[in-house]
Amino acid sequence: MPVSERAVEQKILIAVDFGIWGYQIKNQEKRYEWFKLGLDPSLQKDDSSLARKYPGNKQLPIQLSSRGEITPQKLTTDYLKALRDHTERMLLRNVLETVLQRTPREYVITVPAVWTEKARDLTAKCAVDAGMGSEDKLHIVSEPEAAAIYAISKFKEINTGGLESGDTFVLCDAGGGTVDLISYTILKLTPILELEEAAPGSGNACGSIFLNRIFAEKLNQRFEGDDIWESDPFFLETAMEHFERVTKNEFNGKKGVNIPMAGLGPRPDIKKHRLELSSTEIKGVFEPVISEILNYIQDQIQKTAKMVKLILLVGGFGNSIYLQSRIQEMFGPEIEVKTSPDRSVPADHARRQILIILTINASQTAVVRGALMKGLAEVKGLTAKLPRIRARKARTYYGTECVTPYKERQYPGDNGHSPERRMRNPYAGKDHVEIMRWFLHKVFYDVEKLGTVTAEILGIDRALLKKERGSNGENYYVMDFDIEMRCFAAKLEFTPVYLYGLDKQIRFEPAAFKLE
């Protein structure tokens, strides 16, 4: 059907579910993979046990140093550029080129729940370098929150088990590379669903890609020394394709599976050109991965310190029948969920509980669909119609550096300051020390500088500023100001507020925030 130039007037938003290229790369070819994890050095130091035990044997080395040519940033930028170019080609199949050229486009990038601010900032810079527009036009969305937006929109279409205000549910986004979890408590069901986070998001690299690695390892061990198997990669590629397309979703833990193996044999375990594998053998492939996921679900439930009524599965691996059955088996009516030993939980919350395990249609694309819903709502000014997340659990604790008058320490343990911290304040003519003023605070062992907030103040009328002479004889403008911080699922926003008079203020636009 032809498309007229007048038919396309709104912006086009493209959601990118950030991951690997997938099966365009043939099984035996070397490839760069997992490079997005290099954007977050903390994940490099604390990678999953599965990633250590089952590394990709076809993975090319990545130089984490910025001096190397092949870096995580370069690979990520190249990857996003390829996706952008592919998207443009697909759009041109349905939209006239002249229309596409003058149609604004904005991109929605999803990031894991455990991403640090630095990793999110690097992701945004890679997207800008890939030609996806300026940073102020990019939409960065947390993957589990995007999945939750889509899943919640489908609540009326699925049997929610009678969710009510005050109920808590866990959303598990089980994907190919990573598994992300988030928990919500329902504050209000109508007219707009309102939620609050019940526990901080969690997750790790324990997705279904590890099933492929374990299965390939077991096949190679099984046919070790077989000249035909070792000389022709066709057999492994065919087996892996069937495993990916059929076995991963359809295996139920009860019946064995048959894998195409035409041309190999004769062998006792190959009948009618198919390798027969028992349910016990296939469980041995699934269990290392599923056990890891169950541990994360258990941990998420414990951290809510509440009765969890529903576990909602999304993501491609969420369609696995065996994963669903193992979750139901562990968290079903006969299983008591232990409470976290370091949290006080009311006794009635520790009783046996019945959890409902649900999946939704198109769960494998829930992240992308939810990201598009959020992006379109922001562009059209319709965010009020989206499910509202009223409160979030802090992943990290934030504050700003400021100064306070120096107070000499009289004895160990008092509220005084150590002499080496003393600095001279030329304006006040007194000594001071630098301290932290916390927006969000808990007991901490280490503090590091995250970034710098910069605001443009030249536009302020100088008549509104206090002018005082310092102790050193110099004239100073004195500004009393606060910094307001807003926490979103995948970004921070800082707004300086200049205070003057008794109750007057000037609010700046959200300030530039430069990460270290």
Side-chain angles (χ1 to χ4, degrees), residues 444-514:
F444 59 89
Y445 297 97
D446 190 24
V447 177
E448 64 179 35
K449 186 174 181 180
L450 179 64
T452 304
V453 177
T454 304
E456 178 58 64
I457 64 173
L458 294 178
I460 296 180
D461 185 353
R462 294 193 179 188
L464 301 177
L465 301 178
K466 290 188 295 183
K467 192 173 181 180
E468 296 181 3
R469 183 178 295 274
S471 61
N472 58 357
E474 298 287 338
N475 290 325
Y476 291 85
Y477 287 108
V478 180
M479 293 184 66
D480 296 319
F481 66 92
D482 286 335
I483 297 178
E484 295 180 358
M485 183 180 77
R486 297 180 67 195
C487 299
F488 299 91
K491 70 173 182 177
L492 298 174
E493 189 176 275
F494 296 91
T495 303
V497 181
Y498 169 52
L499 309 173
Y500 67 100
L502 293 177
D503 57 357
K504 297 180 181 180
Q505 61 178 237
I506 295 176
R507 298 180 62 83
F508 295 87
E509 291 296 318
F513 180 50
K514 184 178 181 181

Side-chain angles (χ1 to χ4, degrees), residues 127 347 397 409 422 427 443 478:
Y397 290 78
R409 179 173 292 172
R422 183 197 309 197
Y427 162 69
V443 176
V478 180

